[in-house]
Amino acid sequence: MKTDVQIAQESTMQHIKDIAGKVGIPEESLELYGNYKAKVSLDILKDRKDMPNGKLILVTAINPTAAGEGKTTVNVGLSMGLNKIGKRAFTALREPSLGPCFGVKGGAAGGGHAQVVPMEDINLHFTGDIHAVTTANNLLSALMDNHIHQGNILGIDPNRITWRRVIDMNDRALRNIVVGLGAKGDGVVREDGFDIAVASEVMAILCLANDLEDLKERLSRMIVGYTYDNKPVTAKDLEAVGAMALLLKDAIMPNLVQTLENTPAFIHGGPFANIAHGCNSVVATKTALKLGEYVVTEAGFGADLGAEKFFDIKCRYAGLEPSAAVIVATIKALKKHGGVDKNELGTENLEALKAGFENLQRHVENVKKFGVPPVVAINEFPTDTVAELELLDKMCSEIGVPVVLTQVWAKGGEGAVELAKKVVELAESGVANFKPLYELNQPIAAKIEKIAKEIYRADSVEFSSKAIRNMKKFEADGLGDLAICMAKTQYSFSDDPNLMGAPTGFKIVINDVKVSAGAGFLIPMAGDIMRMPGLPKVPAANKIDILESGEIIGLF
């Protein structure tokens, strides 16, 4: 069986100017990065601001399992399937981080015959967006440490600095460090640390900004620490905004590539899906909506994290109104949620499927709470039995949600034609009536409890004294009206990754609440969330290589 990278390398790509031309992007609006990648000018969005939008389709999933679900693959396949039935469709995805690429996951550009290409470039340095975010983030760190070293006129308390350096790599040795060691001229000694680059607030801001001016305004509001008298210190206070924006001037433009079937694709931005909102950029999504009839996009992790943040943060702030949502699952993953060992997932087990279906049912109910009609997409595997597929169809029918089998990995767009037809039926039915879950002017604790009880189904929420203290501080500082960006495990509705399925009778414990004032959200920390992953015992990087012929091996 061919690997994903082999399938990608054997594809016939069209010149990116031809891809752009098919959707009305003039050549003068492109900045070419070779023959198959291009930045698209933000002028396209300005020029088309009065034109009607296409229909926005969210692809989300059940809570992820070791069995795999294939959310990105379905996203790509659906966009190609929509084109096959005569709709002008775009796919809009996040950029992969080098950390997971060389760590555990491998590539992140779809799979099989439902990929975006050039897959190798997208998974590696691409057009340099993540490097630009890294540099802008670390420039702010350098300016802050230099300010303290040069006399500290702002009175920054070195023990209350919240801003951390970043690097786009999994490197656990950098989680906790000390800077300023050495001679007097080497700076002030203080504790610091690195996060992975996609966890930077700069990345979240890049993906929520509407244009360059909005980007600068958001950057100016970023809080980097506090003074000795407990006042917040911002990037604006450090006079860092102009230089940071300059570093991001190209990164803010969406990246245009294509799928294996030459469907246009915007791959732009990659905010962490735990401590940030985990969605591709607003400018990419909005531009695609002005160019296509349908835009298929995704949100990180399962619907309890990804879809909730997509609706309550991205759609709310960007004024987007999704027309339908696709919830991706597999028979294997549902049986895993039903308690089956990973080694037994290929064996028919109807009782486990029934038990695991409760996870899918809860996600369906949650998506409906936002006024968005869902359809379930099942990634079909050869081990799926007729009895399992019939039972799943029956259970979906009983809860009033359509279910469609897909074979996008093996068949590309052809394997998503039926899903595409169902999505069009839902999107054009006019039943969507999008509304966020909570109002921004509610107290911080009330917004957190709303998500925990209505989306996760927790019985209660327990706040630590630190969390309570920070919530009071943020409300006193005028930050109480920000959106909520929950940080918890992706593997469970609860804050315990071992509670799979649809757990009940649990409480959510909020250990801390952090703020991303520039991005526009508060981050309640439910459990320990890793902002700098480590490499596994055998990293994916150990198996990646490039041959003399230029062939890449081991990259997914």
Side-chain angles (χ1 to χ4, degrees), residues 244-255:
M244 293 177 72
L246 178 61
L247 289 170
L248 298 168
K249 70 177 180 66
D250 294 324
I252 195 174
M253 295 190 291
N255 306 301

Side-chain angles (χ1 to χ4, degrees), residues 269-396:
F272 220 49
N274 265 329
I275 58 93
H277 60 296
C279 304
N280 75 300
S281 76
V282 165
V283 293
T285 302
K286 284 188 170 182
T287 303
L289 286 168
K290 295 299 184 184
L291 297 168
E293 294 176 288
Y294 279 81
V295 176
V296 185
T297 191
E298 63 156 353
F301 299 140
D304 56 319
L305 285 174
E308 187 274 315
K309 293 176 182 179
F310 175 81
F311 293 140
D312 278 329
I313 298 176
K314 180 176 179 177
C315 291
R316 184 202 302 269
Y317 284 151
L320 301 173
E321 296 197 4
S323 297
V326 178
I327 304 174
V328 180
T330 65
I331 295 288
K332 284 185 174 183
L334 291 173
K335 288 191 291 189
K336 179 66 176 169
H337 275 291
V340 175
D341 183 84
K342 183 179 179 180
N343 297 323
E344 301 296 326
L345 293 175
T347 303
E348 182 179 288
N349 191 327
L350 299 182
E351 289 305 311
L353 180 58
K354 286 181 183 177
F357 180 77
E358 293 180 2
N359 183 273
L360 173 59
Q361 180 176 349
R362 187 173 289 183
H363 287 299
V364 169
E365 293 168 355
N366 286 346
V367 168
K368 288 182 177 180
K369 287 184 179 184
F370 293 93
V372 179
V375 55
V376 172
I378 298 296
N379 254 338
E380 193 170 0
F381 278 75
T383 55
D384 299 343
T385 69
V386 172
E388 288 173 332
L389 292 170
E390 288 180 346
L391 175 60
L392 180 60
D393 186 75
K394 178 175 179 290
M395 291 188 293
C396 286

